[in-house]
Amino acid sequence: VGDPVELAERYANDGADELVLLDITATLDNRLAFLDVVSAVASVLSIPCTVGGGVATVGDVERLLKAGADKVSINSAALASPQLIRSCADAFGEQCIVVAIDSRRTPAGHQVFSRSGSAATGRDTIAWANEAADRGAGEILLTSMDRDGTGLGYDTALTAAVASQVTVGVVASGGAGTVHHVADVLEAGAQAALLAGILHRGEMNIPTVKRAAADRRIAIRL
């Protein structure tokens, strides 16, 4: 849908508070997110940038931070070796360690999925979010796989449940279809709302989203 560097610069100029750059096939391909893309994106930004994809070691986090990332998102590797969260937090500080959680609704409740949302882990979403925060994650990036790409709105119930239980900020992801959906999930307890496809396709823009949230008396930087 476009060049990541050009899009990053456009969104920053439009008023995005932060950019999230996720290489969603990196884990499946057994590789780290593209360092050259991270460096190129970071070079045009004056806002923080979170990067994720294929992060499996403390060394991977270091390489991404040196490439220009402000925060690094860990997902599958943290599920496989939860102690990795603490190791990374001790090495670089909790403020730059994000644990991404891909959650699906199952008969047993909301469960965590790994490997780009393709593999069931049997872990309860809220329990894993709590454990991740306790182990040193400074932020939770929570994606509802059920809502992702639907345009039906974020899973506000899931977001509220997680946000009410953890002591760190929750970034809600998956499902944005209107400007009102962003305001809804912020009111539900999310610290931030992630937007992707709807921006890439030009169906929504950041200033409009922010004005709609401000109209509902949500504290937001315009």
Side-chain angles (χ1 to χ4, degrees), residues 37-161:
V37 175
V38 175
S39 295
V41 167
S43 72
V44 301
L45 291 181
S46 57
I47 59 174
C49 180
T50 297
V51 179
V55 179
T57 68
V58 174
D60 289 342
V61 174
E62 182 176 17
R63 282 186 281 276
L64 288 170
L65 292 174
K66 286 183 175 179
D70 296 282
K71 305 176 189 177
V72 174
S73 173
I74 310 171
N75 190 336
S76 297
L79 286 160
S81 301
Q83 65 271 17
L84 176 64
I85 304 170
R86 174 47 61 194
S87 296
C88 293
D90 286 347
F92 309 110
E94 295 184 1
Q95 80 289 339
C96 70
I97 304 303
V98 178
V99 168
I101 299 176
D102 294 332
S103 178
R104 290 184 190 274
R105 188 184 298 275
T106 74
H110 286 285
Q111 299 280 304
V112 181
F113 283 67
S114 66
R115 299 187 62 78
S116 299
S118 64
T121 68
R123 287 178 176 267
D124 176 78
T125 299
I126 295 176
W128 173 235
N130 268 312
E131 181 178 347
D134 289 343
R135 287 182 178 273
E139 192 170 84
I140 301 295
L141 173 56
L142 178 65
T143 299
S144 167
M145 303 300 293
D146 303 303
R147 295 295 184 92
D148 199 31
T150 66
L152 298 175
Y154 301 91
D155 190 330
T156 53
L158 172 64
T159 303

